Amino acid sequence: MEAEPDLVVLRSPAQFKALGHPLRHRLVNLLRQRPATLGELTAALGSTKGTVGYHVRVLRDAGLVRLASTRQVRGGTEQRFELISKEFRLDEECGDGAKFLLDAARAEMSPTRSDDPGHTALRHLWLTPDEARALAERLDTLVGDRQPASGPETEAYGLLLSLYRADIPRLPPARGSDEQ
């Protein structure tokens, strides 16, 4: 098995196209847990080997998945696949990156179950550039160390964090106000 790079920066149209399909997005999430065979991926997704094999090939062609190992089974060769990295980041020059992530998150969030403890909220903060950088670093530290749990009692939850400069104009001070 090759050494895993710290992260992969997504920049090519092939990478975005590969990750833009809901089934391929789910495959990536499965492979974040551990390397898996086509049979294991097929069972987890409730799909067919042909469909999963096609989508794994698209991810491989985009440079996001690689062959981890092979072994002989019943006269055939079983292939085990893995992500080239468990962490993907968007290239800062990629204008469609935020839309891509929001579309993926929206697909995961809908539909929610009635017993789902999830929470989605949009908040705006007024920060200096230094405060924004410090907050981004704290958020990265907070979620950067989380690894998939192996216990059967655990369930996967998505966490979408985005710190961005919002296009919100500033109102002038109210008349007769001392606020600046």
Side-chain angles (χ1 to χ4, degrees):
M1 197 179 323
E2 296 177 31
E4 180 181 303
D6 290 340
L7 64 94
V8 170
V9 178
L10 301 175
R11 4 181 108 86
S12 77
Q15 290 172 324
F16 286 108
K17 182 178 180 185
L19 291 172
H21 189 282
L23 185 66
R24 291 191 289 264
H25 185 77
R26 293 182 72 206
L27 279 167
V28 166
N29 287 332
L30 285 171
L31 291 172
R32 278 195 171 110
Q33 298 171 44
R34 65 172 176 80
T37 65
L38 282 180
E40 292 170 329
L41 294 169
T42 297
L45 293 170
S47 189
T48 65
K49 269 193 178 180
T51 298
V52 171
Y54 167 78
H55 289 290
V56 167
R57 190 168 42 256
V58 171
L59 290 167
R60 283 184 76 185
D61 290 347
L64 302 173
V65 168
R66 66 177 163 228
L67 184 63
S69 64
T70 60
R71 71 179 182 126
Q72 292 302 122
V73 291
R74 294 184 297 265
T77 303
E78 179 182 73
Q79 298 178 323
R80 184 171 300 276
F81 298 94
E82 67 183 353
L83 292 176
I84 60 168
S85 174
K86 290 185 178 159
E87 185 175 357
F88 298 148
R89 295 270 174 108
L90 297 173
D91 184 6
E92 292 179 9
E93 301 297 317
C94 177
D96 290 336
K99 181 183 180 321
F100 167 77
L101 284 177
L102 291 171
D103 288 346
R106 186 179 64 239
E108 281 188 15
M109 290 189 298
S110 304
T112 58
R113 298 186 328 215
S114 61
D115 63 340
D116 187 357
H119 172 76
T120 301
L122 174 62
R123 304 280 193 270
H124 291 101
L125 308 171
W126 292 90
L127 305 170
T128 66
D130 287 341
E131 289 170 331
R133 275 189 287 282
L135 178 57
E137 289 171 10
R138 285 182 23 221
L139 292 173
D140 197 37
T141 300
L142 175 68
V143 298
D145 296 335
R146 304 285 183 203
Q147 295 298 319
S150 59
E153 70 283 354
T154 62
E155 292 186 53
Y157 287 86
L159 177 63
L160 176 64
L161 292 174
S162 180
L163 183 63
Y164 56 93
R165 186 167 294 142
D167 184 20
I168 300 174
R170 183 180 296 269
L171 286 171
R175 292 178 198 233
S177 171
D178 291 338
E179 295 177 19
Q180 291 292 328

